[in-house]
Structures are given as structure tokens and as C-alpha cells.
Amino acid sequence: MAEAYQYSRVSLLNGSPENDLSLEHARISDLSSRQIEDVFESKPLAVRLWFTVATWESRLLWILSWASIVVSEFNYMLTFVTLMFCGHLSALELAGASIASVGIQGLAYGIMIGMASAVQTVCGQAYGAKQYAAMGIICQRAIILHLGAAILLTFLYWFAGPILIAIGQSEAISEQGQIFARTLILQIYAFALSCPMQRFLQAQNIVNPLAYMSVGVFLLHILLTWVVVDVLGLGLIGAGLTLSFSWWLLVITNGLYILFSPKCKETWTGFSSKAFTGIWPYFKLTISSAVMLCLEVWYNQGLVLISGLLPNPTIALDSISICMNYLNWDMCFMLGLSAAASVRISNELGAGHPKVAKFSVLVVNGNSIFISTIFSAIVLIFRIGLSKLFTSDLEIIDAVSNLTPLLAMSVFLNGIQPILSGVAIGSGWQSVVAYVNLTAYYVIGLPIGCVLGFKTSLGVAGIWWGMVTGVFLQTVTLIILTARTNWDVEVMKAADRVKRSSNEATLDLVTGV
């Protein structure tokens, strides 16, 4: 046993082409279940083996996740930068852009990213099972469903003003929000294409090219936004249109890579009419995925919307929006790590390695807790400087400073919760987690936030306490679910799911569709 581990260790550490991600992934994945079990047994050799295998797994996780983190962060930073420019226009325009970004754009992105998690589940398991032909059809089905959702969401964007007024926002803020939302209509259709394509590439461990594309588009977006908003003086309209344009640049670069890269030749075999058939089973998983993540995303956004109903709504909205932007930045980092965890777990379940999947869960959670502790400390240390990036208004800076202890607490919890959600996505538990989110967030957390925000002197801080309560309950529940999981059963479920998808792909090849 020791010789087998030592051989693998030497192979992994060699400075040669054998350090390629796919080969390293294969070596770690091919550790037998018995070898992983020995790591957990109380033998003199076990402690050394545990640290050795944990190091391998951490290394693979970060090779896979660094690019996923870059993609997640820089995609989010497109909106982050846009709001920073809007914040230096005026407090009212920042409030309008923030409420549209959170209440309208965020809702749409929550739906799109939630639906796309089904691609992550099925494509990840198909890739692990080496059923490559099924993956392109799955991606195409996802795009069809996403475009259908984008058409429906267009009406939400167009009538953003009346909707915001109907939920209690002031007319001045709603007017600015409608202007910003209408400039983002083109962005919805970019979401509909980009979200499935990115998950399709991530499922097959193609992450570095995605990172380069995201960074390139982000740098160009900063330049374009500065020219449009500051130089040309096009204000809120220019900022929103530039944001939509940058997302379409992402779509174009992602699409060209899928169509022409040799790395996708086995998984993308061209457009197929089969994508329009057999769509119902996939649609059910898509709905479960969308509900699971949307309940989570909308919870945070709903609390921002509620803060607009407090006395002095401009200050309340600006302060909680600034804090929420930093929380979202942290969440994007963790969601990148979560995406890597999801790919790892779905690949291992598809390959029939339950013990390796379980071990991956332990390693990724250890990494995330360490990182979230560092991020929480940064928030507390730089509590004043962080708010000054968005505004020079002393009243808003003071309000943000008062919220930072709660922000730090949320940052720590969000270092654990997204990772467990990634485990759920990789395992295909979206339906179960949807019920957990509904109960923890809306039955318990939201009422607590409303009571503390409106019936006590806490105000915005009371609303945030409701969010912290919901996230804490959801995290505890996910820990219990993960700890009680029978990974052998999950392997059987993954095999059944992949078999259905591969049968459909095989039919395509036979019929020549």
C-alpha cells in the first residue's frame, strides 16, 4: 500500500507533462475505494497517508478552482465596476442602479445560474462516466430552456419601474431603476447563452481558457465604462448598455472556443435536433436547480428591497447595497470554489468512486473555512476604506461602518454554505435543498429580519440579522444532510442519470441526427 501511494506521489510531483490537470485528475480519481478507506483507519501509516492524499486533493482542487474563482469573480466584477461608476454620479442614481441590479438583474441572474447548475450536475457526471457524446446535447437543451426563460424575463425588465413602485420603493428611486433595467435587456439573452456554456466547459475541466476570457473582458469593460460614463457623460444609460455589451463579449468568446477548440471535439459534435426531444426529465432537474439557487439569491436581494421601505430609504439602500456588493464578491469567490467542488464530486460519482467523493467534500470544506476566516478579518480591518470606494458621503460611510461586523459574520458563514451547495449540485440533490432554503430563509429568516428591522431600533442591522439567521440554519441543515449521505447510493443514482443521457446521445449517432 505504501509503495502505491509513494509511486503516485512521485508521479504527481514530477515537473513534466504528467502534471497536466486531466492526468492528475485521473490519477487521484483512480485511487481505489479501499485505499481511501485505509486513510481513515487507525493505523500508524494512516496519519501520513491522510495528509498525503489530502495534499493531493487540495492541489487538484486549487488547480481546478483557481480559474473557476477567477471566472466567477470577474463576471461579477462587471456589475461591481458599473455600480462604482454609478455611485460617483449621485446617491440617487446609485440607489436606482443598485435596486435594479439587486431586484431585477439579480433575480434574472439567479434564475439563469440556478438553471445552469443542472448542466453542472448532468454534464459533470457524464464526463466522469466518459459518456462524452451526451454532453453537447445536454448543453443545447439547457440553452433552449434558458432562452425561453429570457423571453419571459424581458417583461420584468421593461416594467421594472412600476414593479419597484408596487413593492414600496420611492418614485425617484424606481424611475432611476427602470432606466438602468431597460438598458440591461440585452444582457438577459447573454446570460441565457453564457451560463450553460460556462458550466459545459467547467464540467470537462476546461477552466483556464474561461479565466483568460473573463479577465480580458473585465479589463476592456473598465476602459469602456470610463469612456462612456466619464468621458462621454452618458450616465446611467451608458453604464447599463456597456454592461450588456461586455456580457455579449463573453458569449462570443465562449462560443468560439466551444466551436473551434480541439479540446471540445468529443463533447461538442455539432447542433442536433435531439436537443428538442426528451427535454422533460432534464426540465424537471432544471426547475429544481433554479428553485434551489433562486431561493438563496432572492433571499439576499429581498432584504435589500425591504431596506428601501425603511425611513430615509436612500441611505438605507446605499449602505446595505455597498455591504451586499462585498458579500457578493466573497460569495463569488466561494462559488468558484463551489463550482470546482461540484465538478470534482460529480466526476467521481459518475466514475463510481464514492469514497473519493466523500474525501473531496472534507478537503474542500477545510479549505473554505480557512479562507473565509481571512476574508472576515479583512472586512473588519478595512471597514472604512471599503465604503469609500463607492461613495464620499460621510453619512453613508458611517452607516456602512456600522454594518461591517454583521458583514464579517456573513462572510464567514458564506465560506461554508456555498461549498455545501456545490456538493448538493454535484450530487443532484437540488430538490431537497430547495425545501431547506424555503424553510430556513423564508419561513424563519425573512420574518425575523422584518420584525427586527421595523419593530426595533436596529433598522438595516435588524434586517441583516434576519439574513444571518437564515444562512446559519441552512448551513447547519446542509452539514447534517452531507454527514448522513450514503455515497454508494449516490453513485448508483449518478449511473442511472448518465445512462439515460448517454442512451439519448447514442440514438443521435445511430439515426444520424
Side-chain angles (χ1 to χ4, degrees), residues 339-506:
S342 177
V343 170
R344 285 285 297 122
I345 292 163
S346 61
N347 285 176
E348 298 303 342
L349 292 177
H353 298 151
K355 299 299 187 299
V356 182
K358 179 179 179 180
F359 191 74
S360 297
V361 172
L362 295 174
V363 171
V364 71
N365 275 288
N367 279 267
S368 67
I369 291 172
F370 175 75
I371 295 166
S372 61
T373 302
I374 295 175
F375 284 173
S376 297
I378 291 173
V379 167
L380 293 173
I381 293 170
F382 299 101
R383 58 197 301 173
I384 302 297
L386 294 176
S387 59
K388 288 184 176 179
L389 288 176
F390 279 87
T391 182
S392 56
D393 189 308
L394 294 178
E395 192 174 0
I396 297 175
I397 291 172
D398 185 58
V400 172
S401 180
N402 291 334
L403 286 176
T404 48
L406 287 172
L407 174 61
M409 193 182 302
S410 297
V411 165
F412 180 78
L413 287 175
N414 280 302
I416 305 171
Q417 180 271 332
I419 305 303
L420 296 174
S421 292
V423 173
I425 291 170
S427 306
W429 305 339
Q430 285 92 331
S431 296
V432 175
V433 179
Y435 288 111
V436 173
N437 290 352
L438 179 64
T439 303
Y441 291 153
Y442 296 90
V443 177
I444 301 174
L446 188 60
I448 290 175
C450 290
V451 170
L452 294 178
F454 293 96
K455 299 299 181 180
T456 72
S457 60
L458 291 174
V460 174
I463 292 174
W464 199 296
W465 269 113
M467 179 177 68
V468 170
T469 302
V471 174
F472 176 77
L473 291 174
Q474 190 230 27
T475 301
V476 171
T477 306
L478 288 179
I479 289 173
I480 294 171
L481 287 174
T482 304
R484 292 170 58 87
T485 297
N486 186 326
W487 293 99
D488 294 303
V489 173
E490 295 302 322
V491 165
M492 295 172 61
K493 291 179 181 178
D496 181 63
R497 191 178 293 120
V498 170
K499 182 179 179 181
R500 289 198 302 268
S501 298
S502 61
N503 285 343
E504 292 162 0
T506 302

Side-chain angles (χ1 to χ4, degrees), residues 188-244:
I188 317 171
Y189 296 89
F191 284 163
L193 298 173
S194 178
C195 290
M197 289 193 294
Q198 288 188 359
R199 296 305 181 276
F200 168 77
L201 291 170
Q202 286 173 339
Q204 44 194 313
N205 302 320
I206 300 175
V207 285
N208 290 6
L210 281 175
Y212 302 144
M213 295 175 209
S214 295
V215 173
V217 170
F218 171 73
L219 295 176
L220 182 60
H221 177 70
I222 296 175
L223 176 62
L224 290 175
T225 305
W226 173 73
V227 170
V228 170
V229 176
D230 287 355
V231 178
L232 299 180
L234 296 180
L236 212 55
I237 294 176
L241 290 175
T242 304
L243 182 57
S244 293

Side-chain angles (χ1 to χ4, degrees), residues 270-351:
F271 294 97
S272 171
S273 61
K274 190 65 178 177
F276 292 93
T277 62
I279 206 168
W280 178 246
Y282 181 77
F283 176 74
K284 289 191 291 184
L285 180 61
T286 296
I287 292 298
S288 299
S289 302
V291 170
M292 170 192 156
L293 287 182
C294 284
L295 288 175
E296 186 174 319
V297 172
W298 295 346
Y299 179 60
N300 294 343
Q301 294 163 348
L303 294 175
V304 175
L305 294 173
I306 291 171
S307 69
L309 306 178
L310 292 168
N312 198 351
T314 300
I315 299 299
L317 270 174
D318 285 349
S319 60
I320 199 170
S321 295
I322 289 171
C323 287
M324 195 63 71
N325 270 291
Y326 285 112
L327 180 61
N328 289 339
W329 186 90
D330 169 72
M331 288 183 68
C332 285
F333 185 98
M334 291 303 173
L335 285 172
L337 193 60
S338 170
S342 177
V343 170
R344 285 285 297 122
I345 292 163
S346 61
N347 285 176
E348 298 303 342
L349 292 177

